[in-house]
Amino acid sequence: MLFIYIVAGVLLLVLLVVAVVALSFLNLWLQARASGVKVTLLGMVAMRLRQVDPPLVVNAMIAMAKGGLTVCQDELEAHLLAGGDLEGVSEAAIQAAKAGLDIDFRRLAAIDLAGRNVREAVRTCVSPKVLTCPAPRNGADRLFAVCRDGIQLRVLVRVTVRTRIERVVGGAGEETIIARVGEGIVAAIGRADSHKDILAAPDSISRRILEHGLDSNTCFEILSVDIADVSVDENVGARLLREQADADKRVAQAQAEMRRAAAVAAQQEMVSRTVEMEARVVAARALVPRGVAQGLRGGRLGRRRGLAPTQNG
């Protein structure tokens, strides 16, 4: 009999806990039923046991149901358990559906789990985005490029891009687009024979950039490249020639100084050799009297002159 009372008490306690939990989700369950979303109180209790936030999942299901989308509850829970932004993905799915884009929930969930901003991706796909080259965050307000005539131009370009959803995962981002467009601008201006050609037809830069397909392997499609501003900065060619002339002048001066130093050294060497030769002459002159004296003592000096020695010597 005591065992029956214990079992009944445990069952009563379990029913009481289930009732309390069910009542805590009653408002959410009524909201889901009123919105046409099929979810049970036990299902929400099971979500809580799986450490899933029931209001987040149910609200996402309600929002997508109102947006005309049908998504399995398991997919929502799986994305939430994987650490994804369920609210952002559901909002992006609704925007894509309203815009008529053929994008399902799984693809948007993959984009979100890849670390990309899924809301921004869908928004940019619906409404193209304008990028500024160079990027303002890099600290430069203009891009500098030099024509063949040596004139440097300052250019500001605005690039209109649209997201390619199928390339968001694995495709390059905005930094790559800005870098490639900047490279294309520098190359296009560098090929111009005169800066006047660029000032007269700035759209030539845009045509060359669009022809090269700079948006390949990126998550964007370049729609247009517009030259917002182009102005003359300085004559870089003349400055380089001036600097080269100054460098040549310094080199010539250094070489002249080297030749002057070599000439001075040679002059000093000749002076020292002259002094040395004079010293040798003086030394040789000092030996003449000694030789004459030795010749007289030996009688050799007279014989050389053809004089016969006397009997007395």
Side-chain angles (χ1 to χ4, degrees):
M1 194 69 179
L2 180 61
F3 177 74
I4 296 176
Y5 288 152
I6 294 174
V7 172
V10 171
L11 291 176
L12 182 62
L13 181 61
V14 170
L15 291 175
L16 181 62
V17 172
V18 171
V20 171
V21 174
L23 289 175
S24 63
F25 294 122
L26 182 61
N27 187 23
L28 185 63
W29 178 77
L30 293 175
Q31 183 180 357
R33 296 296 296 178
S35 302
V37 176
K38 295 181 179 180
V39 61
T40 63
L41 289 174
L42 292 178
M44 287 187 282
V45 173
M47 290 183 201
R48 180 67 71 183
L49 295 177
R50 290 192 293 268
Q51 296 183 354
V52 176
D53 189 8
L56 188 60
V57 175
V58 174
N59 289 332
M61 293 177 64
I62 293 174
M64 286 188 286
K66 291 299 181 181
L69 300 175
T70 303
V71 182
C72 179
Q73 177 181 339
D74 294 336
E75 292 184 359
L76 299 180
E77 293 187 26
H79 184 69
L80 193 60
L81 289 173
D85 182 11
L86 182 58
E87 184 178 358
V89 174
S90 61
E91 181 180 345
I94 295 172
Q95 291 178 355
K98 293 299 183 181
L101 301 177
D102 186 15
I103 308 174
D104 56 2
F105 179 83
R106 293 183 179 180
R107 180 176 297 179
L108 294 176
I111 294 173
D112 180 60
L113 294 178
R116 297 297 180 91
N117 191 336
V118 64
R119 298 177 181 174
E120 182 68 19
V122 174
R123 187 181 302 113
T124 308
C125 185
V126 175
S127 178
K129 182 178 182 179
V130 178
L131 304 178
T132 301
C133 181
R137 59 179 175 271
N138 294 335
D141 59 344
R142 293 294 185 275
L143 189 68
F144 297 90
V146 182
C147 302
R148 290 182 178 178
D149 59 357
I151 303 299
Q152 180 173 271
L153 301 179
R154 302 176 59 188
V155 185
L156 177 64
V157 180
R158 302 193 186 280
V159 186
T160 304
V161 296
R162 180 173 56 197
T163 302
R164 292 181 176 178
I165 296 295
E166 68 276 7
R167 295 186 181 180
V168 172
V169 179
E174 296 181 7
E175 292 79 6
T176 302
I177 290 290
I178 294 175
R180 289 182 179 179
V181 171
E183 180 183 356
I185 293 170
V186 173
I189 294 177
R191 294 190 185 98
D193 295 329
S194 174
H195 69 284
K196 297 180 181 179
D197 299 336
I198 301 297
L199 296 177
D203 56 336
S204 60
I205 302 177
S206 304
R207 290 196 303 269
R208 291 182 180 179
I209 292 176
L210 294 174
E211 289 173 357
H212 285 77
L214 302 181
D215 53 2
S216 61
N217 298 324
T218 67
C219 61
F220 292 105
E221 176 186 2
I222 297 179
L223 301 179
S224 66
V225 178
D226 304 312
I227 309 301
D229 181 42
V230 56
S231 58
V232 178
D233 186 59
E234 65 171 327
N235 193 334
V236 177
R239 176 169 58 83
L240 294 177
L241 290 176
R242 183 176 65 252
E243 293 177 356
Q244 184 63 41
D246 293 339
D248 295 340
K249 178 182 177 181
R250 289 192 293 270
V251 171
Q253 290 176 346
Q255 293 177 351
E257 184 64 22
M258 291 175 60
R259 289 193 296 269
R260 188 189 68 82
V264 171
Q267 181 183 6
Q268 295 298 325
E269 182 181 0
M270 296 304 297
V271 170
S272 62
R273 292 182 65 184
T274 301
V275 173
E276 181 183 357
M277 292 297 107
E278 290 178 351
R280 291 183 180 180
V281 171
V282 171
R285 287 178 179 175
L287 295 176
V288 172
R290 183 185 300 176
V292 173
Q294 290 178 357
L296 290 175
R297 284 196 298 269
R300 291 189 298 274
L301 185 58
R303 287 195 295 270
R304 288 180 183 178
R305 293 182 180 180
L307 298 177
T310 60
Q311 187 175 1
N312 295 329

